[in-house]
Amino acid sequence: MYDRNEFPRVTPEEVGIPSAAIAGFVDALENSATQMHGLMIMRHGKICTEGWWQPYAPGKCHTCHSLTKTYMGTAIGIAVREGLLKLDDLLVDIFPEYRDGSTLSNVTVHHLLCMGSGVTTMPPASEEWIRDFFLQPQVYAPNTAYFYNSAGSTLLGFIVQRVSREPVYQYLKPRLFDKIGIDAQVSFPTESEPRFDMWGHRMQATTEDNLRLMKLYLDGGVVNGQRILDEEYVRLATSVQNESATESIGNPAATDNFLGYGYQMWMCKYPGAYRADGAGGQFAVVVPDLDMIISITESAAGAKGAQQTLDCIWTELLPYVTQDALPENSGQAARLQRKMRSLAIAAPRYAPYSPAAAQVSGRVYKLCRGHFDLYMRECMADDLTDDSYGTLCFRFRPMGCSLEWKEGENRVCLDVSLAGDWRRNTFPVPFCNTEECYAAGYWSTENTLAVTMNWTEAMVEKKLLFRFCENGLEIEGAGDYMPGNLERARHIRASAHLES
C-alpha cells in the first residue's frame, strides 16, 4: 500500500548550512551550462531547500535518462534479498534459452551490475536484442575492463521479470515505490512494456522520487524501520566494484566519471560520495559523512555542462556545510525562500504581432517536400522519411494561435502562446511515455513565425521557423534535442503549398 511520509521542512541554518551559501550555489548553477529544472537539498533527513524552474514543478514527471539504471540496480538488490537470485548467478542460467552459442557464459549478475561483462559494444535495438546481447564478442575477461552498457542495465530489469515472473514495474511497486513514498502512477503513468531498451534509460520520476531512492541507500537499505536492501548489497552498490578510469578516453570532460563504478551508480570526487546519474545532469548525490542528499533535474549542455553542475556542488555548496546548526538568519533565509519561489526558465521572446497573421489565418497548407511532424522523436525507433503528405493550418487570435497538423491518422492541434510565455498542451506521442508539451512563439520577421515546443516530461525540444510566402510555406528547424544542446539537434526542412 502506498505510504508517503512527508519530510520535515527546515531552514538551511537549522541543519548547518548558511542560506546565503545555498543562494550562491543556485546562482552558480544558473550561470553554468545548463537549464535548471528542479533542486532539492536534504540534510539529517530534513528538506532545507527546494525549488523548480517554471514550467517545471514539484510533482511533475521528468525523464531520468540513465538514472533509471539505479532503479534497476535497486530492483536486483530487492530480488537478492528475497532469495530470487544471487550476485554470482550466471546470466546463461537465468536465460538458458540463450546458452547455446553464447559468448558470455562466464558473466554473472555482479558483472552486469558494475558494467564489467567484458563486452565493448551494445546490440542494436530490435525485437531480438536479448538474444543478440548474448552473442556479443567478449573482448575482456569479466570485471577486468569497464564499458558503460545501457543494454546490460535493461537486461537487469528483464532478469527481475524472469525470476519474479511479473513485470518489473509491478514487482517494484509494492516492494520499493510504495514503501519509500514514490507514486508509481507518476513514475510509470502507463503500464506498457519497454520498447527494446527502456529500463536502461527511459524511466520518468520527480526530483523528490530520486531523492527518496537515494535516501534508502544513505539509510543503509532501511525505510521506516523495515529493511528493503541487505546491508551488504548497499555496501557493494555504493563502493567501487569496477574501475572506470577509461571513461577519460571517450568522455574527457566528465571528470567525476573516472573514479569508479558501483552497482548502477557512480563514485564522486568528494570522498565517500556517490551518485545516481542520468544524461543531461539528472543527479541524486549522496554525501554520507555530511548526512546529505542533493537531487537535481536539469538539461545540462553535454558532459561538460553536467560536470559543471557537479563541480558547483563540490566548490559552491559543500565547503560551507558545518557540523552543527547555525544561528538563524531570518533575513537571508527569507531572501532564499523568495528566490526559490520565483525560479523560471528563460521566458520566450515577446513579438506577438504581424500583418501576415490575418492573411494566413485559416489557410490550409499541404506538405509536399521533406519531413515534418509535431511529435518528439527522441524515443522512437522508427526511421524518418522524406515523405510528407499531411496538412497544416494556422488560426491566429490575439496573443496566440493554434497550429493544426493532420497526417493520416495523426492529428495534433498545438496551442501556441504569442504573449511571451508558455502554453501547455497534452497529446499522446507514439512510442513515448510523454504527452505534455509547452509551446511558445513569436514573429521573428513580418512573414516568419518562430515556434518552440518543449516536452517537459521527456526534456526534448523542437524549434521551428515557418516562412509564409504568396502561395506556400517553408519550414526549417531543429528537433529532438535536450534544451541547451542545440548542436545535437536533428535538422528539419520541409515545404508546403497553399491548398485553400
Side-chain angles (χ1 to χ4, degrees):
M1 183 177 179
Y2 175 58
D3 180 20
R4 183 182 179 92
N5 295 322
E6 293 300 327
F7 298 125
R9 264 61 178 179
V10 298
T11 65
E13 282 75 14
E14 288 181 69
V15 291
I17 311 173
S19 291
I22 293 180
F25 170 59
V26 174
D27 286 342
L29 290 173
E30 291 188 313
N31 290 322
S32 63
T34 187
Q35 180 190 87
M36 287 297 299
H37 298 161
L39 168 68
M40 294 186 77
I41 301 175
M42 168 181 276
R43 193 170 190 218
H44 304 325
K46 301 172 183 178
I47 302 297
C48 66
T49 302
E50 57 188 324
W52 287 264
W53 283 252
Q54 293 182 357
Y56 293 89
K60 186 181 291 291
C61 203
H62 194 284
T63 184
C64 288
H65 287 302
S66 285
L67 198 149
T68 302
K69 293 174 170 63
T70 308
Y71 283 94
M72 292 305 104
T74 305
I76 291 290
I78 295 172
V80 167
R81 176 162 177 78
E82 291 187 335
L84 298 179
L85 77 163
K86 299 187 293 295
L87 292 176
D88 59 1
D89 283 348
L90 294 169
L91 301 188
V92 291
D93 289 340
I94 300 171
F95 298 96
E97 66 271 34
Y98 301 118
R99 180 182 288 112
D100 292 345
S102 174
T103 57
L104 307 180
S105 60
N106 56 354
V107 175
T108 66
V109 174
H110 162 82
H111 299 141
L112 206 60
L113 282 164
C114 66
M115 304 290 183
S117 62
V119 303
T120 57
T121 58
M122 287 189 285
S126 76
E127 298 288 352
E128 299 295 335
W129 75 267
I130 297 180
R131 177 205 65 191
D132 295 341
F133 183 93
F134 280 90
L135 297 177
Q136 296 176 97
Q138 189 181 59
V139 180
Y140 301 101
N143 243 65
T144 62
Y146 178 88
F147 176 70
Y148 193 74
N149 194 330
S150 290
S153 300
T154 300
L155 191 61
L156 293 173
F158 281 89
I159 288 173
V160 172
Q161 293 187 179
R162 174 62 62 94
V163 299
S164 69
R165 299 183 180 180
E166 58 182 323
V168 68
Y169 57 81
Q170 290 182 6
Y171 181 79
L172 284 177
K173 184 180 185 304
R175 295 168 174 85
L176 178 66
F177 297 151
D178 290 353
K179 291 182 178 179
I180 68 175
I182 291 179
D183 185 350
Q185 292 304 309
V186 173
S187 301
F188 292 98
T190 59
E191 294 185 350
S192 59
E193 287 297 314
R195 183 176 175 84
F196 308 142
D197 183 10
M198 181 174 180
W199 300 138
H201 51 90
R202 298 301 188 199
M203 186 176 164
Q204 295 172 338
T206 68
T207 315
E208 184 167 340
D209 289 344
N210 298 334
L211 182 145
R212 286 175 177 269
L213 173 69
M214 298 310 284
K215 188 175 188 299
L216 176 64
Y217 285 91
L218 179 60
D219 292 343
V222 175
V223 61
N224 297 326
Q226 182 178 4
R227 179 160 293 282
I228 308 298
L229 297 169
D230 289 335
E231 188 174 5
E232 176 64 6
Y233 188 86
V234 171
R235 185 190 70 80
L236 293 169
T238 60
S239 60
V240 177
Q241 302 303 314
N242 197 2
E243 298 294 342
S244 59
T246 53
E247 276 280 291
S248 62
I249 299 171
N251 199 10
T255 53
D256 260 283
N257 284 15
F258 311 161
L259 305 168
Y261 199 78
Y263 283 171
Q264 303 292 286
M265 64 180 80
W266 298 86
M267 305 303 107
C268 299
K269 289 178 185 175
Y270 189 92
Y274 53 89
R275 73 187 187 277
D277 181 327
Q282 318 321 309
F283 294 128
V285 180
V286 179
V287 188
D289 71 344
L290 296 178
D291 192 23
M292 193 168 175
I293 305 173
I294 304 100
S295 183
I296 290 174
T297 45
E298 61 177 343
S299 177
K304 182 177 180 180
Q307 183 60 53
Q308 286 181 2
T309 294
L310 291 172
D311 288 340
C312 284
I313 296 174
W314 314 144
T315 63
E316 305 296 329
L317 177 61
L318 298 191
Y320 300 96
V321 179
T322 64
Q323 189 65 34
D324 300 316
L326 296 170
E328 287 298 328
N329 188 326
S330 58
Q332 292 288 355
R335 278 190 283 273
L336 176 62
Q337 288 180 359
R338 287 194 297 270
K339 181 181 184 67
M340 301 309 291
R341 286 196 299 265
S342 61
L343 300 170
I345 62 175
R349 179 175 165 183
Y350 179 83
Y353 307 115
S354 169
Q359 300 171 16
V360 302
S361 187
R363 291 182 172 182
V364 177
Y365 295 89
K366 185 175 179 60
L367 291 157
C368 57
R369 182 181 63 83
H371 181 89
F372 176 83
D373 63 62
L374 287 181
Y375 290 143
M376 56 161 282
R377 297 275 172 173
E378 196 268 345
C379 298
M380 297 184 71
D382 304 59
D383 291 331
L384 300 180
T385 69
D386 288 333
D387 299 327
S388 284
Y389 56 88
T391 61
L392 289 170
C393 180
F394 297 82
R395 301 187 187 277
F396 288 90
R397 61 182 185 277
M399 298 295 172
C401 74
S402 62
L403 170 52
E404 301 168 6
W405 168 63
K406 300 178 183 179
E407 183 182 85
E409 296 181 356
N410 297 314
R411 300 282 194 280
V412 174
C413 183
L414 185 72
D415 195 5
V416 181
S417 173
L418 300 179
D421 58 8
W422 297 94
R423 193 66 48 80
R424 183 178 184 270
N425 295 263
T426 58
F427 54 89
V429 179
F431 307 124
C432 298
N433 195 19
T434 183
E435 62 177 21
E436 184 177 73
C437 178
Y438 286 79
Y442 65 93
W443 289 96
S444 61
T445 70
E446 183 175 304
N447 295 308
T448 304
L449 179 69
V451 174
T452 297
M453 303 172 68
N454 189 333
W455 284 268
T456 53
E457 295 163 315
M459 203 177 67
V460 173
E461 208 166 55
K462 180 180 287 189
K463 290 184 181 293
L464 299 167
L465 291 175
F466 299 95
R467 294 190 178 90
F468 298 95
C469 50
E470 184 175 354
N471 294 310
L473 175 66
E474 294 294 323
I475 306 168
E476 290 189 27
D480 310 334
Y481 62 93
M482 289 188 286
N485 287 271
L486 190 59
E487 68 276 4
R488 298 189 178 186
R490 176 177 62 84
H491 187 65
I492 298 168
R493 186 183 296 272
S495 301
H497 59 74
L498 186 62
E499 185 175 76
S500 62

